[in-house]
Each structure stands twice: as C-alpha cells, then as structure tokens.
Amino acid sequence: MNAIAPRGRMFFANPGPTNIPDSIQHAVARPSIDFNDAAFFAIYEKCVAGLKRLLKTEQHLFLYTASGHGAWEASMANLFSAGDTLLVIETGHFSESWGKMGRALGLNIETVAADWTKGVDFAALRAALAADTGHRIKGVCAVQNETATGVMLPLPEVRAALDATNHPALFLSDTISSLGCLPFEMDAWGIDCVVGGSQKGLMLPTGMSFTGVSNKALEAHKSSTIPKHYFDWTEMGGRRHKSFVGTVPTSLFYGLEESLRLIEEETLEGVLARHTRLAKAVRAAVRHWAGNGDGVTLFCQNAERASDSVTAILVPEGHDADRVRATARNSFNVSLGAGLNKLAGRVFRIGHLGDLNEPMILGTLASVEMALKLNGVPHRPGGVAAAMESLTA
C-alpha cells in the first residue's frame, strides 16, 4: 500500500526551481499565439527591456529555450575557439560543472582553487592573472552565488583583479541563483557575459535562459570557431526576435511579464532587502542549532560571503542529511535541497529565494527542527525562536 501523502500545501524550500506565484501561473496559462503576432511581439519587447533593467545593462541580450546550462554552453561556444584557455574561479559544484562543459567543447580549463566553505582568496586570482603575461587566458568564469554551498562571490573584486593586472580577458558570470536576489550590475561591474535562468529569482517555470552580452564580447564572438547553430548569436541576430533559432516559448513570456511586474511593484531594492531579511533569519536558526557544539552547522564559514539565496547546512559525522530531507518531505510536506557533488549526504539546503515570506520560512525551519529531532541529529532546540528574534529585531 502506498503511504498517504501529507495534507496541505507543500512548503517548497528548494533553491531552484522555486515557488511560482499564483499570478504567474495564471499568466502562463494562455492559449497558443503566433510568436510573430504584433500583440505578442509587444510583450516580447517589453520583457527584453525589463530583463535589461534587472541586469542593469544597456548592451545586448540573447534568450534560449533551455535551462541555465544551455545559456552557459551558448556563452562558451559563441565567445571562444577550441584550444582557448579559460580561468574558472572555484566555488563548488557549479564551477566544476562549467569547467567540465568547457573541456567538452575543446577548451583548456585552469582553476583558481578555493575552500568551498570560505570562497576564493582574491590574492590567488590576481597572482594567476599577473602570471599570464602572454594573455593566454581568454576568459574568467565566476559563479556569483554557488547554490551548492551557500557561498557568494563578490563580483566587483573579480573585476578589480582584472583591472589591477591590466588583463584583457572576458569576464563571464553565472547569476542563475542570484539575479533578482542579490545586487548585480552588469555594466557598472564590467561584466562581459552574464548567464541567467527563469526558474529561480524570476519565479518562472524552468525552460528559458538568457545571456547579457557586452559590446566587447560581441566583438570577440566574430572570431569564435566552436561549432554552433541553435545557440549561434550571429544566426539569432538575423531574426526578428534577435534570439531563439526556432519557435519562441510564448507562454513563458507572459509569465516573465508578470514576474517583472511583481519585482518592480515591490521595487528591486525591496526584493533584495526581503531576501537579506529572510536569509539572516535562516542563518540565525542554524547558528542556534549549532550552539551545543556538536550539532548541525552552517557550511559557509565566511560570514561576509553568506548567500541570501540559499543556506547549506552541514550535519555531523555519522548522520545522513538525506534522511533529514526525507523526513521533512514525507512527514511534513517540506521539500529541501540535497547536497551536490562531494557534499551529497553531508548537507541539506534551504532555499530562501523568489516568492516567499516570513511564515513560509518559519514553517520550513520548524519542520527541519522536528526532522533533526526525529533522526537523532545533534542540535540545540529553539532555532525557530532565534529566527523569530532575527525577524523582529
């Protein structure tokens, strides 16, 4: 006999995909329309302008029917040639994933190593760039928010390292779990290629991604020789939509129109402040749980780089983070993120990005605390009260 599913609405606390607001779900539920229809094209142009405002760029934008991985592949294929060297700043699972992708495309990948719990030492990045006197390195790849670890990378310091060494490499940034959640300024920070996706801070279904592209990057694209067609920016540039080699996902644009309306109604500053407020409450709860000295702890050990999108929680040796997740899901209808890569079974993750509020966070934390107790994972009780104190301080 199948187990009876928990009643009530699921508390979805994954770091992506994220909760989809009711108004976005209703907006997406539209009948099919010709993507060249004038009525749709007006929505399309409105969405492109809104995304550029969110990216804080006046340069170029290309969109794809793909997850963020597709946008990353498009970026590498459009900007580089086989044998080119990219310098990847290690942040965790996703920096490793992008490096693996680059190698598959015939690129030479070098890495600035970092402790996953603390983030990169920028002196090491400057040293790597300064040592490259022949400018073999054609691009520097950074993940602004490492979803696997809950550690944020300050992108202006990456730009500062490039400027300090007078290095001409293109600056590529992943904003998949940070756009609309953390401060981001493409043009002001001198970023040449920005990768984003629909399913996190934009609160949309998975399936659309995009790249913001600088004038410098678009010039570099002209000499790229990696084979491409569906992701080819030149091919896209000849189309009316300047994106999408093929059918445009019209329904997602109606959702994106509503997403941008919600963000601008709250104001971007208000959205970012809400993410900070809720993230601090989650971290307050985890620090309280860790107060007995041998319990669960924050995986991120660098308070200045703690993510406002997701918190990774390390369980003590001898305990299984996936059992905590299973209890939360099966007993309390709370969905938590799993540990990725070498953190599988060692951490669980609470996503606090997109469409959520204080009661949703407190309900998630209460369920996590019960799951810890039921699994015998050491912790100091009272984490929810600590989160409440943070929220009312």
Side-chain angles (χ1 to χ4, degrees):
M1 180 181 293
N2 292 330
I4 298 174
R7 297 297 186 248
R9 189 165 184 170
M10 176 184 285
F11 276 49
F12 194 74
N14 265 261
T18 62
N19 294 291
I20 303 174
D22 290 344
S23 65
I24 290 180
Q25 294 188 52
H26 295 154
V28 170
R30 296 290 187 98
S32 295
I33 186 172
D34 183 344
F35 56 82
N36 286 309
D37 188 286
F40 173 73
F41 199 74
I43 298 294
Y44 184 92
E45 291 186 312
K46 181 179 179 182
C47 287
V48 168
L51 271 180
K52 285 187 176 184
R53 288 195 299 274
L54 194 58
L55 289 164
K56 298 200 173 179
T57 184
E58 296 181 0
Q59 299 182 82
H60 310 279
L61 185 70
F62 296 99
L63 300 102
Y64 323 93
T65 306
S67 70
H69 286 74
W72 257 113
E73 181 162 334
S75 301
M76 290 182 176
N78 276 284
L79 292 174
F80 306 110
S81 301
D84 282 352
T85 296
L86 302 187
L87 185 65
V88 175
I89 300 172
E90 183 177 12
T91 55
H93 171 74
F94 287 98
S95 66
E96 288 193 353
S97 178
W98 308 146
K100 180 180 179 182
M101 179 184 289
R103 293 185 188 95
L105 293 171
L107 299 170
N108 176 43
I109 302 297
E110 297 181 359
T111 302
V112 181
D115 181 334
W116 285 20
T117 67
K118 297 182 176 67
V120 73
D121 178 352
F122 281 101
L125 174 61
R126 289 192 297 273
L129 292 170
D132 181 33
T133 55
H135 297 160
R136 292 180 308 104
I137 297 169
K138 303 302 181 185
V140 174
C141 301
V143 179
Q144 184 181 21
N145 187 80
E146 176 55 67
T147 322
T149 64
V151 179
M152 179 274 297
L153 182 69
L155 297 179
E157 294 194 38
V158 179
R159 168 45 64 192
L162 285 160
D163 291 346
T165 55
N166 198 31
H167 202 291
L170 295 171
F171 180 10
L172 289 74
S173 172
D174 174 322
T175 66
I176 293 170
S177 65
S178 58
L179 188 66
C181 311
L182 280 64
F184 181 80
E185 299 187 33
M186 176 179 164
D187 291 355
W189 295 352
I191 300 174
D192 294 299
C193 187
V194 182
V195 173
S198 60
Q199 76 277 19
K200 302 214 178 193
L202 289 177
M203 308 170 287
L204 292 164
T206 306
M208 187 164 67
S209 56
F210 50 88
T211 45
V213 178
S214 73
N215 294 323
K216 175 182 175 182
L218 201 59
E219 186 63 28
H221 161 69
K222 295 177 182 178
S223 60
S224 167
T225 61
I226 291 178
K228 49 195 165 285
H229 177 73
Y230 181 74
F231 289 132
D232 189 344
W233 294 344
T234 297
E235 185 77 18
M236 291 179 178
R239 292 171 62 84
R240 182 184 184 195
H241 298 80
K242 308 300 181 185
S243 291
F244 298 108
V245 176
T247 305
V248 177
T250 55
S251 295
L252 286 176
F253 278 92
Y254 287 106
L256 178 56
E257 179 189 30
E258 175 62 9
S259 167
L260 293 166
R261 187 194 71 79
L262 290 173
I263 290 170
E264 294 186 343
E265 176 184 70
E266 188 176 357
T267 74
L268 180 57
E269 293 74 17
V271 171
L272 300 182
R274 174 167 54 84
H275 279 75
T276 298
R277 182 171 68 251
L278 298 178
K280 286 181 176 178
V282 172
R283 293 194 291 268
V286 180
R287 283 193 294 268
H288 183 92
W289 290 332
N292 61 1
D294 64 349
V296 295
T297 58
L298 291 167
F299 184 79
C300 176
Q301 297 177 15
N302 185 341
E304 293 183 354
R305 297 192 190 175
S307 167
D308 283 351
S309 293
V310 54
T311 296
I313 301 163
L314 181 68
V315 301
E317 289 288 337
H319 296 274
D320 186 350
D322 287 337
R323 293 189 65 177
V324 175
R325 292 179 57 246
T327 299
R329 175 65 180 87
N330 297 330
S331 298
F332 309 121
N333 215 7
V334 172
S335 179
L336 304 169
L340 301 176
N341 201 299
K342 65 183 181 183
L343 301 183
R346 298 180 56 207
V347 309
F348 62 90
R349 297 174 297 147
I350 297 176
H352 33 79
L353 69 163
D355 183 47
L356 74 168
N357 59 23
E358 289 82 353
M360 295 163 75
I361 286 293
L362 293 173
T364 296
L365 293 172
S367 299
V368 169
E369 188 161 328
M370 289 188 289
L372 293 173
K373 181 177 180 179
L374 289 171
N375 284 281
V377 179
H379 67 287
R380 183 173 67 171
V384 180
M388 293 171 62
E389 184 65 28
S390 172
L391 290 168
T392 56

